[in-house]
Amino acid sequence: MVSVDDYGEFETEWCPGCGNFMILKALKRALAELGRSPDEVLLTSGIGQSSKLPHYLKCNLFNGLHGRSLPPAIGAKVANHELTVLAVTGDGDCYGEGGNHFLHNVRRNPNITLIVHDNQIYGLTKGQASPTSEPGMKTKVQTHGVFNTPLNPLSLAISLDCSFVSRGFAGDVSHLTELIKKAIQHKGFSLVDVLQPCVSFNKLNTFSWYSERVYRMEEEGDGYDPGDRVKAFERSLEWGERIPLGVFYVNEKPTFEDHLDVLRSGPLVSNKADPKKVDELLDRFI
């Protein structure tokens, strides 16, 4: 039986009270409750405080360039589609530097779970506005306040027909654990955008600010259907006095790997290479 302890306990470099601690806790719980042992799991990340998370788990990991958490994730998934692959990233890393990879992997639909620590600020570089920062928020760089329109990652993902779109809150570990479990179990590209207060550099979107506003959609009693794309888009636009949490949209469809005939005989890493086929291939190009 897999337990949370199998994923280890490590000293971190995060600020005391950071929302990252809760996301790490929820992820460990989710993996353990799903019975995924550390050797079956790969986490990839780019740059940022969020991207340090894989360092604090005992499992396979790849830590690469800024905004590049998804390319190694899809490469690893194709090489071994039996791995549980998760990309861990922040709002700046994913929606800013990695925006192109986010868009096109939603289109490709690889069977990967993307967890975005959305604290609406660049925390590692000490507090500049990110793509999801609130208009008017003042930072050390945006001293007169942010004036760019914030990116809405859920609306964007739904508009691109992402196969699984959800939002959690770092202050609600139990709910977040269940969301991550559903995202991992979903066959296809699954987005878990996590509202994660940054206690050092975002003094606007605090734990108390969110706690007064967030609500679980499944507890509303209005029969919300995550299969309804139009309703999902409407919910994704809710922000301000009330902020919904939960699974916004689900659309089952073939994954990127399903289209690759070469994977039907098993993971590529298990196949023995035949040098003769390589020679034949080279001869066709020479």
Side-chain angles (χ1 to χ4, degrees), residues 91 95-96 99 102-103 118 130-133 148-154 156:
D91 45 297
Y95 304 138
F102 174 66
L103 295 180
D118 192 350
S130 83
T132 56
S133 294
N148 290 327
T149 300
L151 184 145
N152 184 328
L154 302 188
L156 178 60

Side-chain angles (χ1 to χ4, degrees), residues 253-269:
K253 56 185 178 180
T255 67
F256 180 78
E257 303 91 277
D258 288 337
H259 295 290
L260 304 179
D261 290 340
V262 69
L263 298 182
R264 290 178 186 163
S265 59
L268 294 182
V269 292

